Amino acid sequence: MLLAVCHLTAQTTVVPDQSSPTRSISGIVTDGRERLTGANVFILGTIDGCLTDSLGRFSFITSMTGEVTLRATFIGYEDYTLTADISLMHHLTIRMNEQTTNINEVVVTASTFSFGKGDNFKTMDALDVVMAGNSCGDIVAALQTLPGTQMVGENGKLYVRGGESDECQTFVNGMHVLVPYSTNTENTAVRGRFSPFLFKGINFSLGGYSGEYGQALSAVLPMETTDAATSDKCGVSASLVDWNIGGTKAYQNSSLSFNAALTSMGLYDQLFTQRQDFTRPYRKLSGEAQYKKEFNTTSVLKSYVGYDLTSVGLRIGEHRLIPEQSSPVRSLSLKEHNIYANVTHRASIGRGYSLFTGIANSSVFTDIDDARMAGDHYHNFRHEVHLKAEVRKACTHVLKVSAGIEDYIRNSTLRYDAYHYRLNYNILAAHVDAQWRIVPRVFLNASARAEWLWMGKLPSGMFLKSDCLLMPRTTLSYIPNKHLQFSLVAGRYSQTADDDCLAQSRSGYCQSTADHAVLSMQYKSQASLLRIEPYWKKYHRLPLLENGFYQPHGYGTSRGVDVFVDLSFPAKRGNGVSKGALTTTLSYSFNDSERLCLDYTEVQTPDYASRHNLRLTAKYAIGKAIIGLAESYASGRHLPSGTTPHYNSVDVNLTYLLSPKVIVYTSLNNIFGRTNIFRYDTNGSPVVPSRDRFLYIGIFVSLKNNKAYDISNF
């Protein structure tokens, strides 16, 4: 009876006639499949009503007479209303319909893993990235715990579902990043350039993404930076290999942030032995700055600039007693400058429309002495300007549309002794995207992307023909309830070959394409998640070396299945003792891929692809300590010189919340010291890591921050 009071409207309340005889109103409430317990049934404008019992039954007395309006409400269902004479309101059967979901409330997660506070699929903030498996604070390493990724330890980059690493493209605030990785010497794992503390949301799509994203054959990694800060922050962190300081100054409706970091392997190389002979230890000096301004609730400006200076020196080759087994000795010296900046603005322009505009600039300078032989010099400059504009509108509660245009303006210069080239080309693109709720529980995302590649004079003296592509993409999803989701994804995707292939191509060269088909099945509850995704990809027009020139005659396929299981067991208390929370994940990927491209002479499995990849993680939190354990396994990789042994590494980490402003993190990778062989070089020698184990100890301190256990570099 009391809950009926909550449904009184602002209209005048009808007071029942106390002298009138009372009447009984009764019936059951159902959704067509089962009876609903706890539904609220009442006469509109009165306090007469009740809740249904465990069998969905209701019965109450009223003194109202004549025609009245009966209403039934239940969370997750549309309100039911019946207007009739009160004498007819007994033994009713009320059938309620599930509430229709607004298109803006739906997040289709097929083939996508989303991390960020407020996401309804899986939550991972910056601290989780730091503590994930063997990531040591690297976003790329944290993502490699997900299904669909390959373990390629000799460079550490993202390889997704049988695709090359450069088939996965990174976007910051919707703008493209030309080179998202730090650089290092050959056969050494690299790290992602960006700090996890920079982002509030990370979306990793392994295939089937919408028309908004292009120039990616296999996967996209869009990341959204944090919003304007409301309070000042300052933080420092230190470890055996890196030192950071950063902070934020908050103003009214805006904030300015900075971060500076120095990474140096010099101290670590002195403390722990390793296999490589460095003449100058690996060092990277990084600086980042952000400015964010909220003009109002619908107009937001974000800007970001980052700079990395990387250098390393390595002695390569050795002399042996048998001359035939010796290799020339050279002292490789590498230096790279990597600059990235973007500015974006998102605003409402009236009548339900919103406009996004952005510009991004990437510049990368790479210089290497003794790159391939003693005395040589390699210089490469790569530059890209990315321009983008997009309009969005929620037309109705069942339809949302967007349309946009963008331009990639690229140029590249390479000089290696007598060989050199210079490239200039444009990729102009447009897309339209529609998200439509066809019927309740059935959603369609249909998009189309068109791209036009234009290039000037090639180094060979020829002119590249313009290449136009139209790529349809669609996702059909069925969401029967809040736990289940089934999706079918299909589409075509394109990517321009890298600059070295373009420079050695003839006028007939065009963009490579890949057709994706993914079936996604997902079950999600409050404490568990299960996802199974069979997929198929077919490549067309890959660059293939023929008679000294690259031609678009390559092809390939990649098929397999990904399985992801996430189980959480919350902390419990018993006999006054708190038992820790446990989170476990299982990621398994089966991949069967083969292709004919680059300098391949026959169709073969790519040398970076493993057929089976398995990763198990467990995180146990008790008190102020969080213990993590990770197991990574990959089957052997098939190479012309032989098949490698399987890869295996067991990693452990410990996080301790020393105080509300101090966090200590430590990890040890490959605790059993297994020497993993990544591949074999052209001489048949195994390529192994520079060290079998890696110990990381870091401390994160918030010097000025109102929030506990929040790393404050940004």
Side-chain angles (χ1 to χ4, degrees), residues 56-67:
R57 299 174 300 192
F58 67 91
S59 178
F60 62 91
I61 302 296
T62 181
S63 57
M64 298 295 297
T65 59
E67 187 176 85

Side-chain angles (χ1 to χ4, degrees), residues 380-432:
N380 183 217
F381 168 67
R382 299 179 63 192
H383 179 248
E384 176 188 83
V385 175
H386 182 206
L387 307 172
K388 185 176 180 179
E390 184 179 54
V391 176
R392 295 177 179 264
K393 178 176 174 59
C395 301
T396 67
H397 67 284
V398 300
L399 179 64
K400 183 168 63 174
V401 298
S402 64
I405 58 173
E406 58 186 326
D407 190 15
Y408 296 84
I409 306 169
R410 296 177 176 173
N411 58 79
S412 175
T413 301
L414 183 141
R415 292 195 304 271
Y416 178 68
D417 290 347
Y419 176 75
H420 63 89
Y421 67 72
R422 182 178 180 85
L423 293 173
N424 294 279
Y425 59 99
N426 274 45
I427 305 168
L428 185 64
H431 79 272
V432 292

Side-chain angles (χ1 to χ4, degrees), residues 178-254:
L178 186 62
V179 181
Y181 301 102
S182 62
T183 190
N184 210 328
T185 57
E186 188 178 5
N187 300 324
T188 304
V190 300
R191 292 171 62 88
R193 287 189 57 205
F194 301 104
S195 165
F197 312 120
L198 176 66
F199 304 101
K200 68 174 182 180
I202 301 172
N203 297 286
F204 183 35
S205 178
L206 290 85
Y209 29 94
S210 69
E212 178 183 359
Y213 298 108
Q215 291 300 297
L217 283 179
S218 287
V220 292
L221 178 60
M223 301 187 288
E224 183 74 17
T225 58
T226 55
D227 297 324
T230 57
S231 62
D232 294 348
K233 294 182 178 182
C234 185
V236 296
S237 64
S239 73
L240 294 175
V241 296
D242 57 7
W243 299 265
N244 296 263
I245 182 170
T248 295
K249 178 63 178 177
Y251 304 94
Q252 185 176 2
N253 301 323
S254 67

Side-chain angles (χ1 to χ4, degrees), residues 301-458:
L301 174 74
K302 290 185 176 182
S303 63
Y304 167 83
V305 60
Y307 167 73
D308 293 342
L309 169 60
T310 306
S311 66
V312 63
L314 178 66
R315 184 175 290 105
I316 300 176
E318 59 181 342
H319 290 294
R320 296 185 179 181
L321 295 177
I322 303 176
E324 290 78 7
Q325 296 181 353
S326 299
S327 56
V329 177
R330 68 184 195 276
S331 296
L332 181 146
S333 177
L334 180 149
K335 180 178 289 187
E336 181 176 274
H337 302 266
N338 193 332
I339 307 167
Y340 176 75
N342 71 31
V343 179
T344 63
H345 182 241
R346 192 183 302 273
S348 172
I349 54 177
R351 296 187 178 182
Y353 289 93
S354 64
L355 174 65
F356 171 88
T357 55
I359 180 172
N361 181 89
S362 298
S363 300
V364 183
F365 303 80
T366 305
D367 287 276
I368 307 176
D369 291 322
D370 287 8
R372 295 180 180 176
M373 60 185 68
D376 67 6
H377 179 74
Y378 172 93
H379 171 79
N380 183 217
F381 168 67
R382 299 179 63 192
H383 179 248
E384 176 188 83
V385 175
H386 182 206
L387 307 172
K388 185 176 180 179
E390 184 179 54
V391 176
R392 295 177 179 264
K393 178 176 174 59
C395 301
T396 67
H397 67 284
V398 300
L399 179 64
K400 183 168 63 174
V401 298
S402 64
I405 58 173
E406 58 186 326
D407 190 15
Y408 296 84
I409 306 169
R410 296 177 176 173
N411 58 79
S412 175
T413 301
L414 183 141
R415 292 195 304 271
Y416 178 68
D417 290 347
Y419 176 75
H420 63 89
Y421 67 72
R422 182 178 180 85
L423 293 173
N424 294 279
Y425 59 99
N426 274 45
I427 305 168
L428 185 64
H431 79 272
V432 292
D433 187 289
Q435 298 179 50
W436 177 32
R437 192 195 70 219
I438 304 174
V439 295
R441 307 188 191 95
V442 179
F443 301 86
L444 176 68
N445 186 321
S447 63
R449 182 179 178 89
E451 289 186 348
W452 179 57
L453 170 65
W454 177 88
M455 179 176 288
K457 193 174 182 180
L458 291 170

